[in-house]
Amino acid sequence: DSTAGYSADADRRAAKTIAIAIDAGEGLALANADRQLRSRLGGHTYDNAAAHFSKLTQDTAQPGTPVVVPGSGHAVLPGPPQVGVTISPHASAESLQRVVPQLCDFITVPMRWVDLEPSEGKLSFGPTDRWIEWAIRTAKIPVHAGPLIDFRATAVPEWIYIWENDYETLRDLVIEHMTKVVTRYRKTITRWTVCSGLHVNTNFKISFEQVMDLTRVAVMLVRKLHPQGKVQVEITQPWGEYHCFNKRSLPPLLYTEAMLQTGLQVDALALRLQMGHAQPGLSTRDLMSLSAILDRYALFERPIAITALGAPSQQIPAQPYAPRAGAAAEGSHEPGFWRAPWSETQQAEWLMQAMTICASKPYVHSVCWHELADPPLVAGQPASTPPEMPHGGLISPTGQIKPAAQRMAQLRQALKEGRSPLTLRSV
């Protein structure tokens, strides 16, 4: 039964051992989340941190503000985390608007450059205006916006590539674009994701110094234009595998540290935690890995906003991936799955457990599901606006509410009532 050192029996035993270890790790992560969340929702975590801070520093923490106890290695926030959902501006329907207030405390409206200025100098704010106006005037819920600058191929207009090798002009265009957007919406937006994934540096090839300069410009410009708004910088692919293949990129932790060492006033670090997609950095990981990566970024002692938590409701096949516009496709990326192939049931269960782990962390300000609705199906045609992740929405292309949406509504209600959402596992 053995060939060149290989043993089928040993292989089976090793696979079983790994499965048991992963299962035990996820169980520990959920048990710890349940304990932390009960303390957070009861107010004990924040009260204890504030008291400890006063004892060590002989100073009093400002009520309602983040507390960083010297030596603790993370911030502690008051109250429960906020729950939100990202809404594509093009997904405009009364049926969607009726669902939103049941799901979330805030909405996030993407500000993709390709949507707002598809042709140079020709602005298109209509779809974005409609959702923001509805949220502010009708639903009366806060609106987060961004990222304002995101150089992924799906987010930038074609005309901008003319300037990709002329950094000074590109920088000027970024400033001009951000000024227009922030000036237009600063009376309605409470929190801005000013830039996203600049450290991955795949689609536009810019230097380390230029990456840091654009980050600084984005933060300082929004601070200047909207002093009352909250500002956060988004870290994509937070585990950082991309750096093994792209040496012009910056490891995400190095980028975060370099940004904060410059003294930029960032209200929160934003993380994208999407899994199950056939793209770099979006393969499925276990829940203990999810919990551990949050704790790693918490060491920067800033509040953390989960700006894109997501998984699909249907298995996504492995497929070649083009790293930048016009480039040859790379080898396929395997999306993986969690406990069973992705389905509506698996998506709902993953949402509940992953979102609970995120919400339990005392430093997490908010958790936002990455897509409200899958785009409607048009016979024989691709979606006019590709979603962040196929099948990643809470509402199907036919308008049916998925089990994940029901879970999210239940989770939000449990948090508001001071209960651990893990009690919903038996429902």
Side-chain angles (χ1 to χ4, degrees), residues 37 40-41 64-66 74-84 105-108 142-145 190-193 229-232 266-271 294 298 301-307 355 357-368 415:
L37 191 54
R40 179 178 185 178
L41 296 177
T65 60
H74 62 80
V76 177
L77 306 181
Q82 299 293 296
V83 176
D105 305 306
F106 68 91
I107 66 169
T108 295
V143 181
H144 300 179
T190 59
R191 182 173 290 263
W192 297 94
T193 300
K230 299 296 183 181
V231 170
Q232 56 197 30
V266 176
D267 294 298
L269 299 176
L271 298 181
L294 290 171
E301 298 184 343
R302 293 290 195 283
I304 289 179
I306 312 301
T307 42
M355 194 169 280
I357 287 175
C358 293
S360 72
K361 304 297 185 181
Y363 47 79
V364 169
H365 169 271
S366 56
V367 187
C368 184
L415 292 178

Side-chain angles (χ1 to χ4, degrees), residues 105-145:
D105 305 306
F106 68 91
I107 66 169
T108 295
V109 178
M111 295 282 177
R112 289 183 285 263
W113 199 339
V114 67
D115 294 333
L116 300 181
E117 194 176 3
S119 300
E120 187 173 6
K122 295 182 180 180
L123 303 177
S124 176
F125 291 117
T128 303
D129 285 350
R130 283 193 290 273
W131 268 111
I132 293 178
E133 183 177 2
W134 171 84
I136 298 300
R137 295 187 178 181
T138 304
K140 301 187 184 306
I141 57 177
V143 181
H144 300 179

